[in-house]
């Protein structure tokens, strides 16, 4: 199906380099094959990160992950263990990891502009001892993703600065995005016919309460 993207012409990497140039040597060489002391401390204090994975069909997925600081366990300088908590059961990340094993992580610490990025290979395990180690709120993790670290590097804070990410919602963006409504009611409105078959009356106002109750009772 034709889309707006068809109006534009892709360019080569050579052309991209012609426009943006090349990084300074110290930036090009900053990637390390293992976690250093600072990267380990940063990850240990990160309550939020994003995980990018690729499926067998090449389709990418990026999933937000949040937990109390320290929930991502550093098993050694080459290995991370990520807990899985109750969620929507789509399992996109698990589907991709079991198909290709590739994973990319970006760790954030509130108040800091810079981030730590980790790339590597991953697999999923149900090892009871590891799941217990990854407990939160006295509940073991549902599953664990073990990451074999291949690359670690810090990234400058320009993206966070431009986004004013840690400055709070002083611009009223949440209100503007939801038009004063709730996220779930609005996000399913465009799929009402399909979703109505499975949710029924919840589409007409009760869904927010159901989701909010789930947040309160099934966070861990």
């Amino acid at each position: 199906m034709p889309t707006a993207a068809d109006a534009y012409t892709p360019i080569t990497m050579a052309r991209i380099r012609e426009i943006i140039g090349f990084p300074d040597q110290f930036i090009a060489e900053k990637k390390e094959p293992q976690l250093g002391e600072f990267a380990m401390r940063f990850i240990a204090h990160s309550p939020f990160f994003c995980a990018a994975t690729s499926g067998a069909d090449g389709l990418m997925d990026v999933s937000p992950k949040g937990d109390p600081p320290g929930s991502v366990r550093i098993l050694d300088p080459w290995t991370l263990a990520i807990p899985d908590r109750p969620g929507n059961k789509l399992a996109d990340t698990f589907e991709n990891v079991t198909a290709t094993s590739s994973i990319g992580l970006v760790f954030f610490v509130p108040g800091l502009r810079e981030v730590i990025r980790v790339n590597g290979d991953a697999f999923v395990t149900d090892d009871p001892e590891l799941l217990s180690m990854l407990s939160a709120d006295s509940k073991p993790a549902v599953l664990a993703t073990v990451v074999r670290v291949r690359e670690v590097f810090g990234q400058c804070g320009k993206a966070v600065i431009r986004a004013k990410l840690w400055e709070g919602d002083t611009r009223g963006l949440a209100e503007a995005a939801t038009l004063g409504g709730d996220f779930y009611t609005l996000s399913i409105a465009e799929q009402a016919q399909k979703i109505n078959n499975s949710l029924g009356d919840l589409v007409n106002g009760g869904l927010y309460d159901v989701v909010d109750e789930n947040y309160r009772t099934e966070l861990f």
Side-chain angles (χ1 to χ4, degrees):
M1 179 182 70
T3 70
D6 299 328
Y8 304 98
T9 303
I11 60 176
T12 65
M13 192 63 213
R15 174 57 179 154
I16 292 171
R17 284 298 182 195
E18 182 182 334
I19 294 170
I20 70 172
F22 290 84
D24 293 331
Q25 184 175 353
F26 83 94
I27 294 177
E29 296 177 350
K30 69 179 179 178
K31 296 180 180 180
E32 296 291 340
Q34 66 188 58
L35 297 163
E37 181 179 344
F38 174 68
M40 288 191 280
R41 186 166 65 250
F42 191 102
I43 292 170
H45 288 83
S46 172
F48 178 80
F49 64 98
C50 294
T53 55
S54 175
D57 58 0
L59 188 65
M60 297 294 299
D61 178 77
V62 179
S63 179
K65 306 288 185 181
D67 235 3
S71 294
V72 174
R73 298 297 292 267
I74 300 158
L75 303 183
D76 62 33
W78 304 272
T79 317
L80 297 174
I82 301 171
D84 183 62
R85 310 295 182 200
N88 58 23
K89 298 181 174 62
L90 283 175
D92 293 323
T93 298
F94 292 153
E95 290 274 5
N96 290 346
V97 164
T98 55
T100 69
S101 81
S102 297
I103 193 167
L105 308 168
V106 182
F107 291 93
F108 297 81
V109 172
L112 288 180
R113 301 171 299 182
E114 294 75 23
V115 300
I116 291 291
R117 294 173 58 179
V118 176
N119 297 323
D121 305 313
F123 62 89
V124 183
T125 182
D126 61 353
D127 181 87
E129 185 175 343
L130 182 57
L131 299 186
S132 179
M133 182 192 303
L134 297 172
S135 293
D137 197 31
S138 301
K139 299 175 183 177
V142 177
L143 291 167
T145 301
V146 177
V147 179
R148 293 188 177 99
V149 175
R150 303 300 186 202
E151 290 184 333
V152 183
F153 55 101
Q155 182 157 325
C156 76
K158 287 183 177 179
V160 171
I161 294 170
R162 293 183 189 121
K164 300 182 179 180
L165 191 59
W166 307 129
E167 295 184 17
D169 191 23
T170 58
R171 293 163 288 179
L173 299 179
E175 177 77 14
T178 61
L179 302 176
D182 72 82
F183 177 89
Y184 278 94
T185 299
L186 290 166
S187 65
I188 68 173
E190 296 173 352
Q191 302 173 300
Q193 186 60 51
K194 178 171 65 175
I195 293 177
N196 188 61
N197 294 332
S198 58
L199 294 182
D201 291 340
L202 289 178
V203 177
N204 299 318
L207 182 58
Y208 178 83
D209 293 335
V210 173
V211 172
D212 196 52
E213 176 66 15
N214 181 268
Y215 285 165
R216 288 196 300 270
T217 61
E218 296 188 37
L219 202 58
F220 296 104

